[in-house]
Structures are given as C-alpha cells and as structure tokens.
Amino acid sequence: WTQWGQYTVAQALTDRKRSPTTVADSATLADVAKVLVTTRVPRVLVRSGSGSIVGVITQTDVVNALHSNMAKLSADVANRQLSQFKHIQDKATRAVIAVDRDHLAIDAFRLMADEQISALPVIDFDGNRTPEGTLTHRDVRGVLDDADFPLGLYNQSALAFSLKMHGGHEAKLKPLSIALQLTSTLKDAVDTMHQYHIHQVWVMNEKNQVAHVVSLTDLLAEALNN
C-alpha cells in the first residue's frame, strides 16, 4: 500500500504500455462501437479538430445510447438469442473463470489480473455451482476509504467481500449476481445492463450454472455484424 501511495500517474502510463484510444468529435456512435469492438477498451477519448481532448465516451454512455435507440435496430438483431451469438458458439466448451466463495478476496483480484478479465462470478465449488455473487475490478474503489484497507482484501472471503460491495440497502443496489438465459435476447441484455448500470452479464445453462458471459463489446459486435 505504501508503494502504491508513491506510484505516480506517469509511471502507470509507462507500465501499461498502451496509448489512449481516441476518436474525432465528428465520429458517429457506430464509429465508437467499432473502436470498442476492435480495441476492447472500456472508454475512448474524444479529440477536437485541433487534437485537444474535449470529452470521453464510456461504456455506460454506449449502453444508454443503445437502450435509447433499441427501436431503430432491426427486429432480427434485437431479438437475436444469446445462444446464437458467435462468441458463445465459438466458446461453447470453455468454462467461465470463477472464484470459490471461500477463497480470499485478494485471490479473486489476482485471478482477474492474471486472466486479464474485469469480473468473475463467486460460486460454491462444492455445491451446485450457481452464482452467489459477483466481483469486478471496480469493487476495489469501494474500499479505498475503509480503515482496514488493504487488509480487508486479505482477511475476507470472496463472498463476504461481494456481500460488502453489493449487498444491503435492499432494492437500492443491484442483485449480488445478475444473469440471463441462453434464450434471452440482445434486447434483454441491453435492458439488463441499462437497468443495473453494468457492462457484462452472466449467462446460465439449463442446470442454472454460469456457462457464458456477455459483455457490451459482444453486443456491439453482434449488432455490427448482423
């Protein structure tokens, strides 16, 4: 934590070895969608004609725009079932990376870093393997002000940490784990992401186990390709 407190922004930019992704202020939403699909980045900077940065477009902005313009999509695209998505058919035998409910929270975040993913479901490896919670890379921000940070990452289980981040306050917060079925549609996925302010959602199989994950980028790819 002490080293992190001394870590500069300039060092972070150097270590990540990737230049910011930008689009011109004259770009269309379709242009932004193509950039997100191609680069797999969560946001793009908007530059003016002179090259100055004048704004940023986030995944949430794109979800909101998709939701507002859903009626403009063809019925074939909007009603396309998740089971028909190319990435789901291509990865039909690949298991979703998950963390056991009893593993430490820090192990979950290390797993995300190692696998270069932004979220994973919390499940009971010894039980029916249904999702009991979700952890995302953004959850770390929720505990930065905790008196026990970063110790809480080392002495709480993945499930306890998920409950801390997403539980309580009843309907004010999203459910601990949000999932759709393979028969759900692209429109269902957009509606769910818009409702709960998320950028990906788990997809369950007939045994009610996490079988796939659909991200905003996946939705954009399907819309652009169809």
Side-chain angles (χ1 to χ4, degrees):
W1 173 237
T2 300
Q3 292 177 334
W4 193 6
Q6 297 172 347
Y7 195 56
T8 66
V9 173
Q11 287 175 296
L13 289 174
T14 300
D15 291 345
R16 67 197 295 267
K17 298 178 182 178
R18 187 170 65 186
S19 301
T21 303
T22 64
V23 294
D25 55 8
S26 58
T28 65
L29 180 60
D31 294 329
V32 173
K34 291 174 183 177
V35 170
L36 292 177
V37 170
T38 302
T39 62
R40 312 293 293 191
V41 296
R43 63 190 58 81
V44 295
L45 301 178
V46 181
R47 66 178 187 278
S48 66
S50 63
S52 300
I53 301 302
V54 295
V56 59
I57 297 177
T58 67
Q59 289 180 309
T60 299
D61 295 327
V62 177
V63 169
N64 292 341
L66 268 178
H67 185 262
S68 298
N69 292 277
M70 185 56 60
K72 297 179 182 179
L73 286 179
S74 71
D76 288 342
V77 173
N79 296 324
R80 187 175 181 81
Q81 292 189 352
L82 303 185
S83 61
Q84 298 174 297
F85 278 29
K86 183 178 185 301
H87 86 281
I88 285 183
Q89 294 181 342
D90 290 347
K91 301 177 181 178
T93 60
R94 185 180 301 178
V96 172
I97 298 171
V99 65
D100 184 74
R101 67 198 301 269
D102 295 324
H103 284 184
L104 292 176
I106 189 65
D107 293 333
F109 289 106
R110 284 172 175 161
L111 183 58
M112 280 188 262
D114 290 343
E115 299 292 341
Q116 297 184 350
I117 55 178
S118 59
L120 43 73
V122 180
I123 66 177
D124 182 359
F125 282 9
D126 296 325
N128 55 17
R129 300 182 71 88
T130 58
E132 298 182 16
T134 296
L135 284 176
T136 77
H137 67 290
R138 295 185 299 173
D139 289 334
V140 172
R141 295 184 300 188
V143 293
L144 287 176
D145 295 329
D146 279 7
D148 64 345
F149 181 80
L151 295 180
L153 294 171
Y154 293 85
N155 59 25
Q156 293 184 70
S157 69
L159 181 59
F161 195 85
S162 178
L163 288 168
K164 183 176 182 179
M165 291 297 97
H166 304 290
H169 304 294
E170 298 179 353
K172 291 184 180 180
L173 293 181
K174 58 179 176 286
L176 290 175
S177 183
I178 301 168
L180 295 173
Q181 304 297 318
L182 284 168
T183 53
S184 301
T185 65
L186 182 145
K187 181 180 183 302
D188 293 330
V190 171
D191 289 343
T192 299
M193 291 183 187
H194 179 264
Q195 178 181 357
Y196 294 113
H197 308 289
I198 56 177
H199 307 134
Q200 60 183 25
V201 60
W202 311 121
V203 182
M204 312 295 282
N205 61 19
E206 65 279 358
K207 296 180 180 178
N208 204 33
Q209 299 171 337
V210 178
H212 306 280
V213 58
V214 169
S215 68
L216 170 63
T217 305
D218 296 324
L219 300 183
L220 294 176
E222 287 294 325
L224 290 172
N225 292 334
N226 293 280

